[in-house]
Amino acid sequence: MTREASGFHLFLGAICKLSGKLLSRRTAPVYRCSRLQNQAKTSHGLAMSSSFQVTADNVASYAAGEHMAALFEQAAAGVALTDLTGRFIRANHCYCAMVDREHEELLRLRMQDITHPEDLPRNKDLFARLVEGGELFHIEKRYVRPDGSTVWAKNAVSAIRSTSGELVSIVAVCVDITARMNAEVALRESEARKSAILQTALDCIITIDQDGQILDWNPAAELTFGHSAAIALGQDLAQVIIPPELREMHYKGMARYLETGEGPVLGRRVELEALRSDGSRFPVELAITATSIQGRQLFTAYLRDISERRRSESALRESEARITATFENAFAGISEVDPNGRFIRVNEELCRVTGYSRDELMKLRFQDITPPEDLPKDHEQFVRQMTNEISVYQMEKRFVHKSGSHIWVDLSASRVDDDQGRPLYGVRVVRDVSERKRAQEHQKLLIDELNHRVKNTLATVQSIASQTLRHAETPEQARSAIEGRLLALSRAHDVLTRENWEAAGLSEIVAQALAPYENGGAKRLRIEGPDVRLSPRMALALAMALQELATNAAKYGALSNDTGAVHISWAVNGAASRSRLHLSWEEVGGPPVDAPNRRGFGSRLIERSLAQELDGEVKIDFVRAGLVCTVDVPLG
């Protein structure tokens, strides 16, 4: 037998020996070794015990041809033969496939060339000890394939000696364990992820078995419930965190799931109460998932303390209730409008101010109830507000009431933005200032009226003074006449002032004019007529005329003696829109009257000025029995 054949036979014997140890749980290599024994018995009649030992002598007696080559190539494990430096001498097909290299390529390499750098130091150490002392070793290591990928292999490595005991070569039997190693790595990574999740999770993560005993209790659970993991692990979950009145329901739910696979809280988020270590109760949000591991049910609960959320929700509800109450009960009209101006929310006061119902306003825009002449300014400001040019603006404007009338409002407009600063809607607060506007307009009217009346009064005073001084015979007479006429004017002003210069009663004007002349008793003055309201202009003119008539009667007429009397009467004739006042002044019982050669200032004041001022007719008749004055003027 040649040395090569002898070496190959020794190699096969070592394979049988190593395969039995490395693959003791696999049937194929054992079968092949047994097959080798049977072949040896049949071909050569060698007597072998059940503890078959391969030596160089008996292997050399095997047929080294096709049977041995087939055994080598068909081995279920990868088999490689190297020299004492690690250089490959031979490798079977399974080994070549494992390391993804052709046989010819392997013969140019050493074991060290295809071993992963991280695994090489230990491999080299064990290899050296094998070469030095023949010590068989096992190693799990990685081979590096040509594409850079790795394959994990479990290697059983042994020395091959010649019949003389000389160390000839090294044989390695390898099994691919990549799947197992990957699974172990995945498991370790999974456990690491689980541990990281449990340790860093902000929520409580608790795992229990089907008996309710706690298996996992993370730091968040420790912090939330007040129980350390050392105390909680192994305890009944219900006794640790579930309130007494809920424990029976918990046990029934567990039993139902174990019996039917259905649970009332599985796959849902529920809110309920839990217990802390001090016995206090607090609300939690709970979600439970169920898993089955090796036929045993496990339940993982995710719990979150929602006390703060409940407080926030309660505070939010209270805030919204206050805002709603303020919104609905405010004395100002409040609305929310979208970026186009359409009403999206209105309060009751705005409905009252505009006359529209809530449903009617929700179909409109603020532009729809704004008068056209007020719209440009408001709309321009609103567009600028909705494009972020301005945030708020104020103005006075008008609304068109549902009835068609105009309402003045004081408007304050602001804007609400989203998280990105984009306008969501506008808030418009309006206060009805129609009364104030009317008061301002009335005040202006009164000021204008006052200016007009002051000018007229001054003109009247000027005329009284001028005419009186021109016709008075003595300074004393002039003084007396001016005082009397100014007093009459003053008394008429008093009447109008009490009536806010809106109107005056004719009865009061007459009474004021004749009050200084009542010394003779009421029988001398007969006053009769309906209650008639006079405009300020008419009241002043009549007051001055009555003053002149009374002064003249006191000096020369019916009031100048003890027997005379004056009868003043009036009536209103015609329809309301065209009514006329007819007033008569008649003197009786006084000295006989002679018509004057010329008309004095008093007569001219009555006949001309009164007629012009009141746009009517005034006539004085100097009859013998007594002076008669008639006034006929329009009341409208």
Side-chain angles (χ1 to χ4, degrees), residues 325-389:
T326 302
F327 184 87
E328 290 299 337
N329 300 309
F331 289 116
I334 307 174
S335 64
E336 295 173 1
V337 298
D338 67 16
N340 296 316
R342 185 168 298 279
F343 292 109
I344 56 178
R345 188 182 181 190
V346 297
N347 72 344
E348 194 61 35
E349 178 64 10
L350 186 65
C351 296
R352 186 196 67 77
V353 169
T354 62
Y356 291 94
S357 69
R358 197 183 299 262
D359 290 340
E360 288 172 332
L361 282 176
M362 297 294 282
K363 298 175 183 177
L364 300 173
R365 304 173 305 156
F366 77 82
Q367 297 94 321
D368 299 328
I369 59 172
T370 299
E373 57 269 28
D374 292 358
L375 183 57
K377 182 180 177 183
D378 190 6
H379 188 262
E380 176 189 0
Q381 295 289 81
F382 180 74
V383 170
R384 292 181 62 202
Q385 186 180 63
M386 289 297 112
T387 54
N388 273 335
E389 289 187 41

Side-chain angles (χ1 to χ4, degrees), residues 173-238:
V173 179
C174 311
V175 177
D176 187 344
I177 59 171
T178 302
R180 191 200 81 195
M181 294 300 287
N182 288 341
E184 290 177 357
V185 169
L187 179 60
R188 287 193 299 271
E189 291 177 350
S190 176
E191 289 296 325
R193 285 194 299 271
K194 175 186 174 183
S195 177
I197 292 172
L198 287 174
Q199 294 300 314
T200 61
L202 299 177
D203 292 336
C204 306
I205 302 177
I206 302 171
T207 302
I208 62 173
D209 62 15
Q210 61 189 30
D211 297 324
Q213 289 188 342
I214 299 172
L215 304 180
D216 286 324
W217 184 268
N218 73 334
E222 291 182 319
L223 181 63
T224 300
F225 293 99
H227 297 286
S228 67
I231 294 176
L233 294 176
Q235 292 198 51
D236 183 354
L237 177 71

Side-chain angles (χ1 to χ4, degrees), residues 7 34 69 77 102 112 162 207 212 346 355 369 381 384 399 432 453 462 496 505 544 546-547 585 612 615-616:
S34 175
E102 297 293 336
Q112 297 91 327
S162 66
T207 302
V346 297
I369 59 172
Q381 295 289 81
R384 292 181 62 202
F399 277 143
D432 187 352
R453 297 201 181 282
Q462 183 183 17
L496 289 170
M544 292 297 296
L546 291 170
Q547 166 64 23
W585 171 286
Q612 292 176 1
D615 193 24

Side-chain angles (χ1 to χ4, degrees), residues 1 4-17 36 40 44 46 48 52-65 68 71 160-161 163:
M1 180 180 296
E4 290 76 9
S6 175
F8 182 59
H9 291 164
L10 292 172
F11 173 44
L12 293 178
I15 290 174
C16 293
K17 182 177 180 181
L36 179 60
H44 304 284
L46 297 176
M48 290 189 177
F52 171 64
Q53 298 295 322
V54 180
T55 67
D57 292 335
N58 55 37
V59 171
S61 64
Y62 297 160
M68 293 304 161
L71 176 63
I160 299 177
R161 299 180 182 274
T163 54

Side-chain angles (χ1 to χ4, degrees), residues 257-399:
Y257 178 81
L258 294 174
E259 181 180 350
T260 65
E262 298 178 357
V265 298
L266 290 177
R268 297 193 303 117
R269 287 182 178 270
V270 296
E271 294 182 6
L272 41 79
E273 279 195 334
L275 288 178
R276 289 192 172 94
S277 58
D278 61 4
S280 62
R281 298 182 178 221
F282 66 104
V284 297
E285 184 179 43
L286 167 70
I288 299 177
T289 59
T291 55
S292 178
I293 298 179
Q294 296 180 351
R296 189 168 180 80
Q297 292 292 334
L298 299 180
F299 303 91
T300 299
Y302 304 87
L303 299 99
R304 179 178 301 165
D305 183 351
I306 58 173
S307 302
E308 188 60 35
R309 191 183 80 188
R310 286 280 182 88
R311 284 191 289 269
S312 298
E313 289 173 349
S314 177
L316 179 60
R317 286 193 297 271
E318 291 178 5
S319 176
E320 289 179 344
R322 287 195 298 270
I323 292 173
T324 299
T326 302
F327 184 87
E328 290 299 337
N329 300 309
F331 289 116
I334 307 174
S335 64
E336 295 173 1
V337 298
D338 67 16
N340 296 316
R342 185 168 298 279
F343 292 109
I344 56 178
R345 188 182 181 190
V346 297
N347 72 344
E348 194 61 35
E349 178 64 10
L350 186 65
C351 296
R352 186 196 67 77
V353 169
T354 62
Y356 291 94
S357 69
R358 197 183 299 262
D359 290 340
E360 288 172 332
L361 282 176
M362 297 294 282
K363 298 175 183 177
L364 300 173
R365 304 173 305 156
F366 77 82
Q367 297 94 321
D368 299 328
I369 59 172
T370 299
E373 57 269 28
D374 292 358
L375 183 57
K377 182 180 177 183
D378 190 6
H379 188 262
E380 176 189 0
Q381 295 289 81
F382 180 74
V383 170
R384 292 181 62 202
Q385 186 180 63
M386 289 297 112
T387 54
N388 273 335
E389 289 187 41
I390 58 174
S391 57
V392 297
Y393 68 91
Q394 292 180 322
M395 64 185 305
E396 282 190 352
K397 60 168 289 183
R398 290 176 298 173
F399 277 143

